[in-house]
């Protein structure tokens, strides 16, 4: 994804998807992203990431930008200045996003159009950061299952350019995380 571009609301998500509320998925994904920043704060900011055009510092900055832009879109706030670089700024923006979630209307189509794609963005980048820093903490299984269930609403029939990488065949089709990662052009590294 473009590091300076906010998450794009997807118009076809106007109906409420089945399963967990997209706002709840967003809060879970933000939690996974916060967890990933523990390792990122101690890692080499120039380390390469699964996002081949970005190093760790760029990815963390993108995560902060995405969290800020998502919160602004969900709350109707005007765009503010971009967050500064670094893990502290990313943590701050993720905490602000999570704090906004309880006040969001649960049945608003506008919220669903923003929260659902942002959930994928935050969860997948949490995984990217964990891979970069050598952290093998998996994404929460309940989050992975919910994201897999909602994936057709997010990726089917949309232009993936600058949004998601092309899908890959999953190395272990029976493994939910592998399926989710492959759907978004990522491959889990073999267990060490």
């Amino acid at each position: 994804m473009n590091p300076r571009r906010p998450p794009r609301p997807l118009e076809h998500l106007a109906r409420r998807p089945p399963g967990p509320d997209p706002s709840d998925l967003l809060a879970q994904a933000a939690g996974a992203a916060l967890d990933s920043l523990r390792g990122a704060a101690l890692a080499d900011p120039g380390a390469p990431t699964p996002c081949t055009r970005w190093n760790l510092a760029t990815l963390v900055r993108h995560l902060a930008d995405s969290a800020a832009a998502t919160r602004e879109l969900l709350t109707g706030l005007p765009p503010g200045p971009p967050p500064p670089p670094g893990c502290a700024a990313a943590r701050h923006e993720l905490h602000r996003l999570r704090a906004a979630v309880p006040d969001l209307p649960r049945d608003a189509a506008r919220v669903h159009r923003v929260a659902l794609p942002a959930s994928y963005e935050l969860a997948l980048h949490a995984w990217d950061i964990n891979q970069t820093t050598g952290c093998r903490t998996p994404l929460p299984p309940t989050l992975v299952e919910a994201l897999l269930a909602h994936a057709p609403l997010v990726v089917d029939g949309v232009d993936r350019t600058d949004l998601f990488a092309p899908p890959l065949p999953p190395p272990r089709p029976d493994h939910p995380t592998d399926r989710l990662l492959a759907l978004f052009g990522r491959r889990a590294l073999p267990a060490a």
Side-chain angles (χ1 to χ4, degrees):
M1 291 188 169
N2 182 334
R4 301 306 300 167
R5 185 168 144 201
R8 171 171 47 173
L10 303 175
E11 296 305 318
H12 67 286
L13 295 175
R15 70 185 191 282
R16 187 191 186 294
D21 188 271
S23 299
D24 295 332
L25 292 179
L26 182 61
Q28 290 178 47
L34 279 164
D35 290 344
S36 74
L37 291 173
R38 287 187 195 120
L42 304 172
D44 173 11
T49 71
C51 303
T52 57
R53 299 176 306 193
W54 298 348
N55 62 23
L56 182 58
T58 307
L59 179 55
V60 168
R61 178 87 185 252
H62 172 69
L63 189 66
D65 286 343
S66 293
T70 299
R71 183 180 54 80
E72 290 161 356
L73 285 168
L74 289 172
T75 61
L77 293 171
C87 291
R91 274 193 295 275
H92 177 73
E93 292 300 336
L94 287 162
H95 280 297
R96 291 176 75 193
L97 175 59
R98 284 181 80 183
V101 167
D103 295 329
L104 297 174
R106 291 297 174 166
D107 291 326
R110 175 185 59 81
V111 170
H112 297 161
R113 285 191 304 264
V114 175
L116 194 53
S119 298
Y120 289 89
E121 170 118 358
L122 297 179
L124 292 167
H125 286 322
W127 181 87
D128 294 333
I129 291 170
N130 284 342
Q131 295 303 297
T132 301
T133 62
C135 175
R136 295 294 181 246
T137 301
L139 292 173
T142 55
L143 176 61
V144 170
E145 291 289 352
L147 292 175
L148 278 170
H150 288 58
L153 293 173
V154 176
V155 295
D156 287 357
V158 299
D159 176 12
R160 294 171 71 111
T161 308
D162 285 336
L163 190 59
F164 303 116
L168 300 169
R172 298 177 295 175
D174 58 328
H175 192 271
T177 300
D178 282 8
R179 287 197 329 268
L180 179 67
L181 295 172
L183 188 58
F184 292 91
R186 292 161 170 83
R187 265 203 211 292
L189 300 176

